[in-house]
C-alpha cells in the first residue's frame, strides 16, 4: 500500500482538476477532456480515456484514482420509487431515492452519514452525525443512478444537512451543473436546508441552484422544539436570509412544511405562515408526516391537511401537498437511515 493515497479526481471541480493537471506539467485543456470522460462518459479507468496519450494515462494511474459507487442493495417500492443503498469505502453507508414520474425522474441524494440537526420528526436525525460525505461520494450517487436510468432533477433532501457540509456540497453542485461535467440545468437542482443562515448566504454566493427551506412551524416556540437549529437561527433571521437569497431567474423558494397532528397544523398556523412568507417569492410544499417506529408524533388528518391547503390557496399562496412515495420501503422523507433492515414481509 502506498503511503499517500492517489488523488481521487471525483473530488475535484473543473478548476481544481485544471490545477492538478497543470501540476503534472500538462496542457490545461486536458483537464476538460478528463472531466468529460468522468461525467459524460462515466469512465472508471484512465485506460479508456483514448484521447490522452498512453504515457499520460500511465502517469495518471500512478498519481490519481477514479472512485465510483455501486449500489449494494436496490429496493423497489410498489409505487415505483427505488431506494439505493451505497456502501462507502470506510464501511459507512448512505441512501439515495429515485422517484420516477411520467415525464421526469427526481433523484434525492444524501450529503452526510447521519445528521447532527436532531429534528424531532426525522429518523435520520436520531443517528447523530457519523461524518460528512466527500465531494466524490455526493457526485457518485448521481453517477451510479444515471448509469441505470435517466435522471431529470436532483434534490439534496436525503440523509444529512447539506449546508453543514457546505464545501463538499458546493463542489458537488459545481460538478453536477458544469457544462463540461454532468450538465444539469441549475433549474433542475435543489438544495434543501433546515436553515443554517450564514451558510445560506455562502451557498447563494457560490452557486445558482434552487432552494428549499424546511420551515415546519410558524412560531419560534414550536420550531425550536421540532428543529433545535431554530434556537441558533430563529425564524426572523432565517426568513431574512431567504429574502436575500439569489435565486435562478423567475424561481421561487420552496418552503417545506411537514404536517404533524396537533403540533403545527391549525388554521392559526396557516394564517401565520401566509404572513411570514408574504414578502418572499415562494411556494409551499405540505408534506404529510411520515411515521416511523419509535416516534411519538403522528400525521395530520387528511381533512386538516386539506383545510390548511385550501386556506393557503385562498390567500394566493402556491401550494402543493406532496404525495408520499416509497413509504413501504422506508424511502419517504425522513425515513432514511443508511442501513437496510431485513424485511419481514
Ligand atoms: N436537512 C435537510 C434535508 C434533509 S430532510 C432539510 O432539513 O431540509 C428533507 C425534508 O424531509 C425536509 O423538508 C424535512 O422537513 C422532511 N422530513 C424529515 N422527516 C420527515 C418525516 N418523518 N416525514 C415527512 N417529512 C420529513
Amino acid at each position: 500500500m502506498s503511503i499517500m493515497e492517489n488523488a481521487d479526481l471525483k473530488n475535484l471541480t473543473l478548476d481544481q482538476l485544471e490545477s492538478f493537471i497543470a501540476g503534472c506539467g500538462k496542457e490545461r485543456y486536458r483537464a476538460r477532456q478528463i472531466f468529460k470522460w468522468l461525467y459524460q462518459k462515466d469512465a472508471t479507468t484512465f485506460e479508456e480515456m483514448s484521447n490522452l496519450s498512453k504515457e499520460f494515462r500511465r502517469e495518471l494511474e500512478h498519481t490519481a484514482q477514479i472512485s465510483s459507487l455501486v449500489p449494494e442493495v436496490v429496493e423497489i417500492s410498489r409505487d415505483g420509487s427505488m431506494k439505493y443503498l451505497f456502501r462507502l469505502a470506510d464501511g459507512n453507508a448512505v441512501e439515495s431515492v429515485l422517484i420516477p414520474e411520467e415525464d421526469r425522474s427526481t433523484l434525492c441524494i444524501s450529503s452526510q452519514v447521519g445528521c447532527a440537526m436532531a429534528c424531532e420528526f426525522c429518523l435520520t436525525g436520531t443517528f447523530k452525525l457519523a461524518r460528512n460525505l466527500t465531494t466524490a461520494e455526493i457526485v457518485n450517487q448521481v453517477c451510479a443512478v444515471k448509469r441505470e436510468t435517466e435522471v431529470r432533477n436532483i434534490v439534496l433532501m436525503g440523509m444529512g444537512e447539506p449546508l453543514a457540509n457546505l464545501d463538499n456540497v458546493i463542489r458537488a453542485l459545481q460538478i453536477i451543473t458544469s457544462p463540461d461535467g454532468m450538465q444539469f440545468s441549475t433549474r433542475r437542482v435543489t438544495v434543501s436546508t433546515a436553515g443554517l443562515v450564514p451558510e445560506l448566504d455562502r451557498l447563494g454566493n457560490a452557486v445558482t441552484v434552487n432552494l428549499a427551506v424546511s420551515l415546519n412551524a410558524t412560531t419560534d416556540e414550536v420550531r425550536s422544539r421540532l428543529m433545535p437549529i431554530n434556537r441558533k437561527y430563529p425564524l426572523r433571521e432565517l426568513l431574512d436570509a431567504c429574502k436575500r437569497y439569489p435565486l435562478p431567474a423567475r424561481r421561487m423558494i420552496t418552503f417545506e412544511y411537514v404536517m404533524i397532528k396537533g403540533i403545527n397544523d391549525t388554521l392559526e398556523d396557516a394564517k401565520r405562515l401566509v404572513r411570514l412568507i408574504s414578502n418572499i417569492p415562494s411556494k409551499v410544499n405540505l408534506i404529510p408526516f411520515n411515521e416511523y417506529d419509535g416516534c411519538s408524533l403522528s400525521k395530520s388528518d387528511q381533512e386538516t391537511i386539506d383545510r390548511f391547503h385550501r386556506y393557503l390557496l385562498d390567500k394566493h399562496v402556491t401550494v402543493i401537498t406532496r404525495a408520499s412515495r416509497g413509504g413501504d420501503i422506508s424511502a419517504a422523507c425522513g425515513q432514511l437511515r443508511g442501513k437496510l433492515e431485513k424485511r419481514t414481509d
Side-chain angles (χ1 to χ4, degrees):
M1 209 171 94
S2 60
I3 298 172
M4 276 231 295
E5 268 214 9
N6 289 355
D8 181 359
L9 299 191
K10 290 265 186 82
N11 275 321
L12 307 181
T13 62
L14 181 55
D15 282 352
Q16 294 173 320
L17 186 60
E18 283 177 346
S19 308
F20 178 86
I21 295 302
C24 302
K26 291 285 189 272
E27 309 93 325
R28 216 179 149 77
Y29 74 90
R30 296 289 179 201
R32 202 169 297 251
Q33 290 178 320
I34 296 172
F35 209 65
K36 287 186 174 166
W37 277 109
L38 295 179
Y39 299 112
Q40 294 175 13
K41 301 190 199 105
D42 194 30
T44 52
T45 65
F46 294 110
E47 190 50 49
E48 60 200 282
M49 301 187 178
S50 51
N51 54 0
L52 307 181
S53 71
K54 278 226 159 62
E55 185 193 23
F56 186 29
R57 281 182 262 168
R58 269 319 83 69
E59 190 182 328
L60 285 170
E61 270 158 19
H62 290 110
T63 52
Q65 58 170 316
I66 304 169
S67 65
S68 80
L69 288 176
V70 176
E72 185 172 287
V73 188
V74 181
E75 274 198 301
I76 305 178
S77 162
R78 282 188 283 274
D79 64 28
S81 35
M82 303 208 264
K83 183 162 78 167
Y84 296 80
L85 180 91
F86 294 107
R87 182 74 52 196
L88 308 174
D90 65 354
N92 277 305
V94 289
E95 290 170 348
S96 313
V97 180
L98 182 74
I99 306 137
E101 279 159 284
E102 275 158 39
D103 55 337
R104 63 205 172 106
S105 283
T106 297
L107 178 64
C108 173
I109 59 175
S110 295
S111 56
Q112 297 182 309
V113 182
C115 187
M117 295 293 112
C119 298
E120 190 183 346
F121 49 82
C122 179
L123 180 63
T124 307
T126 63
F127 297 106
K128 309 266 163 53
L129 176 68
R131 68 169 173 86
N132 283 332
L133 294 187
T134 63
T135 303
E137 287 165 339
I138 299 172
V139 298
N140 275 331
Q141 295 171 62
V142 184
C143 295
V145 177
K146 251 174 41 128
R147 218 165 273 152
E148 296 178 13
T149 180
E150 198 194 340
V151 175
R152 289 260 283 171
N153 303 294
I154 295 180
V155 295
L156 274 86
M157 290 185 190
M159 298 167 63
E161 168 49 47
L163 299 196
N165 183 17
L166 190 57
D167 291 338
N168 289 316
V169 163
I170 287 173
R171 280 194 283 269
L173 292 171
Q174 285 167 340
I175 294 168
I176 288 168
T177 60
S178 165
D180 296 302
M182 283 199 230
Q183 301 178 302
F184 277 85
S185 154
T186 57
R187 303 169 73 88
R188 299 200 171 279
V189 180
T190 301
V191 173
S192 178
T193 179
L196 276 61
V197 168
E199 287 79 4
L200 244 173
D201 289 325
R202 272 189 58 207
L203 177 76
N205 288 329
V207 285
T208 309
V209 287
N210 295 313
L211 180 67
V213 173
S214 302
L215 204 57
N216 296 337
T218 59
T219 65
D220 280 319
E221 193 193 345
V222 175
R223 195 166 191 273
S224 292
R225 169 193 160 182
L226 293 175
M227 306 178 70
I229 190 68
N230 192 70
R231 293 173 205 153
K232 197 162 174 194
Y233 305 115
L235 280 169
R236 194 67 270 153
E237 284 181 40
L238 174 58
L239 292 166
D240 285 346
C242 291
K243 216 172 159 213
R244 56 179 186 263
Y245 184 83
L247 289 168
R250 296 183 302 283
R251 283 271 133 162
M252 300 189 277
I253 288 185
T254 300
F255 287 111
E256 298 162 282
Y257 197 97
V258 181
M259 297 289 289
I260 308 171
K261 189 179 201 154
I263 306 283
N264 63 359
D265 60 355
T266 64
L267 271 187
E268 285 305 307
D269 285 301
K271 278 181 198 160
R272 278 190 295 264
L273 178 57
V274 172
R275 239 177 291 135
L276 285 174
I277 65 174
S278 63
N279 60 357
I280 302 171
S282 59
K283 56 188 171 194
V284 172
N285 259 7
L286 298 179
I287 313 173
F289 171 64
N290 291 308
E291 300 175 358
Y292 55 87
D293 281 350
C295 184
S296 57
L297 304 169
S298 41
K299 174 206 214 125
S300 303
D301 302 325
Q302 193 56 50
E303 309 87 82
T304 309
I305 298 175
D306 291 345
R307 194 167 34 138
F308 200 105
H309 185 122
R310 268 198 313 274
Y311 181 88
L312 297 182
L313 271 188
D314 284 348
K315 299 295 173 192
H316 311 293
V317 173
T318 306
V319 54
I320 63 156
T321 297
R322 199 191 282 171
S324 184
R325 306 275 303 261
D328 56 327
I329 55 168
S330 296
C333 298
Q335 295 187 331
L336 300 184
R337 50 176 300 166
K339 184 161 79 180
L340 287 177
E341 294 146 290
K342 290 230 159 51
R343 307 282 305 280
T344 47
D345 55 346

